[in-house]
Amino acid sequence: MSSPIIQTHQLFYDYAKGATTLSNINLEVNQGDVYGFLGPNGSGKTTTLSLILGLLKNQRGTIELFGKNLQHHRTEILAKVGSLIENPSLYVHLTANENLEVYRQIYKASRTRMHEVLDIVGLKDTGKKLVKGFSLGMRQRLSLAIALLPKPELLILDEPTNGLDPAGILELRCLIGRLREFEGITFLISSHILSEVEKIVNRVGIIYKGQMRFQGSLVELHRLQQHQSLVQVETSDNLRAWAILKSFNAKLNESELVVPWSNLQQVAALNKLLVEHDVKVYDLHPRKQTLETIFMNLTSN
Amino acid sequence: MIFTASLRSEFLKTKRSSVVYLTLVAAFMIPFVLVFDHGSPNSELIANGWDNFYREGFQVFAFLFLPFFYVLTSTLILQIEVRCNTWKQVLASPQLYIHILLAKFIVIQILAIVFVLVFNIYMIVGCAIIDSLHNLNYLTYLERWPELIQLNIMALVTNVGISALSFWLALRFKNFIVPIGIGILLWLIGPTAALELKIPHFDKYVFVLPFTIMAKKFEYQRAFYQFLSVGYGVFFFTIAYLEFVWQRRSLQVCWKKEKVSN
């Protein structure tokens, strides 16, 4: 098992007294992960990422990155981390090159690396054009270039697809894949749209109203999806059918009989069982949960 | 972490920013007004023409323009991060908090030195214009350059307290108007309290200190006022630093961390 790169332990945060923004967040990102941190707007994603980067004062709980406490090794840790938090953070009166120059020596990066990251994000030919003349997509890519400047071991991206067109989103996905494969970067990517990150992440954390609703691998999320898939059954006697299907964990909600299922053989088996007990089956209607509906269920009251 | 990298980064951010234009334009105003206001030479003043010309301009410069320059420049420098939404990127970079603040403060001090230098250049050019227009020889007084340098250094030192106070205010308020408004108000208190209300010991008020370098009354206490200004500077900068850190971490952790990093 790979070692954890980010580990938060019982993280709590309040912006104001009595208004809990984060409650008991135990986030774990392992080396080589592309971790999708999901949740609707206002669920606490940016607050969590800001705490991980030391942008907010840690009120309760501990944050460890690369096995070291952030409070005591802030600069040492941040030297290995690239970040893009919310909207692009750029000096609009400077050029793309100058924006990178601002951070180049701080990250001890070479000029070659600077040109390399501009090439990676496709902004090599912007010349003397000032950032104020850049489109939102270009600004987002330049922010990504700054995040890549220190050759980071960990890249924290908060809503990185904001402002990108479909082609840009696709490009970003490919870039993340390439960086993970060839440079071994670990990613922590937040988004409020599951479908946007579903294709690139291997681990997922779902946060809602400041609480972690799910954390695990994408395989575990798919397993949860299967567990939560139901077949709706309509019979001549739903009450009797419910008694017969008790071993299938059947549930009778008012007049609606639902049974969890994970494969079609199970559906056939329960049909057979009902017929054997002289219950007429009028309708078998599988209601498969998608990842999107699981996400919606986890992020709703 | 290397401080020079932080300093270089802060200098780069001022490129094409309004502080550069402010430095060049604001320094031009007094010499410009003085040259146009000079008129025909007064035969009684010719004997000490340079002193009248320079001291008149310099007094306004040291007591009014330089403090306002610090108020405006501090605000503009810190507003670069606010307007560009870049504070979070700066704070997520591997720089010590003290490096971030000290680099910004030094940039402001260097801009102030440039401001003083440019002002002096404009004054000398103004003198040359007056000399040629009225057939005078004010420029020969430049032989007293050590006196000029001393006066300029005193102006900068007595403004150190104001610069640190302005820096703290600009760091504290995200709004552009608030630190400028407070700065103007604090400056206005100086002449009001000293001249109108005649409050005792008001000469020790931070915004009054630049006035002491020209006033005869304080001729023998100038060193004291210089030290007082530096003391104010250290005090306000320390407050600014502690508050900046306090917003992000407990101070106890900060001391431990600084030890680990160093």
Side-chain angles (χ1 to χ4, degrees), chain B residues 21 99 224:
Chain B
Y21 306 113
H99 285 186
F224 165 73

mmCIF file of all heavy atoms in Angstrom, chain B residues 21 99 224:
data_model
loop_
_atom_site.group_PDB
_atom_site.id
_atom_site.type_symbol
_atom_site.label_atom_id
_atom_site.label_comp_id
_atom_site.label_asym_id
_atom_site.label_seq_id
_atom_site.Cartn_x
_atom_site.Cartn_y
_atom_site.Cartn_z
ATOM 1 N N TYR B 21 4.357 55.272 -11.799
ATOM 2 C CA TYR B 21 3.911 56.569 -12.327
ATOM 3 C C TYR B 21 3.718 57.577 -11.199
ATOM 4 O O TYR B 21 4.027 58.755 -11.343
ATOM 5 C CB TYR B 21 2.620 56.399 -13.147
ATOM 6 C CG TYR B 21 2.770 55.354 -14.224
ATOM 7 C CD1 TYR B 21 2.068 54.156 -14.170
ATOM 8 C CD2 TYR B 21 3.662 55.551 -15.283
ATOM 9 C CE1 TYR B 21 2.238 53.185 -15.150
ATOM 10 C CE2 TYR B 21 3.831 54.589 -16.262
ATOM 11 C CZ TYR B 21 3.122 53.401 -16.192
ATOM 12 O OH TYR B 21 3.309 52.451 -17.156
ATOM 13 N N HIS B 99 9.412 37.047 5.420
ATOM 14 C CA HIS B 99 10.015 37.393 4.122
ATOM 15 C C HIS B 99 9.013 38.117 3.229
ATOM 16 O O HIS B 99 9.361 39.099 2.564
ATOM 17 C CB HIS B 99 10.499 36.124 3.409
ATOM 18 C CG HIS B 99 11.766 35.579 3.997
ATOM 19 N ND1 HIS B 99 12.448 34.522 3.447
ATOM 20 C CD2 HIS B 99 12.469 35.943 5.097
ATOM 21 C CE1 HIS B 99 13.518 34.252 4.177
ATOM 22 N NE2 HIS B 99 13.556 35.102 5.184
ATOM 23 N N PHE B 224 16.975 62.746 18.456
ATOM 24 C CA PHE B 224 15.920 62.094 19.251
ATOM 25 C C PHE B 224 14.708 61.760 18.364
ATOM 26 O O PHE B 224 14.174 60.649 18.409
ATOM 27 C CB PHE B 224 15.500 63.017 20.407
ATOM 28 C CG PHE B 224 14.207 62.625 21.050
ATOM 29 C CD1 PHE B 224 14.136 61.512 21.878
ATOM 30 C CD2 PHE B 224 13.044 63.355 20.815
ATOM 31 C CE1 PHE B 224 12.930 61.134 22.462
ATOM 32 C CE2 PHE B 224 11.847 62.987 21.387
ATOM 33 C CZ PHE B 224 11.783 61.874 22.217
#
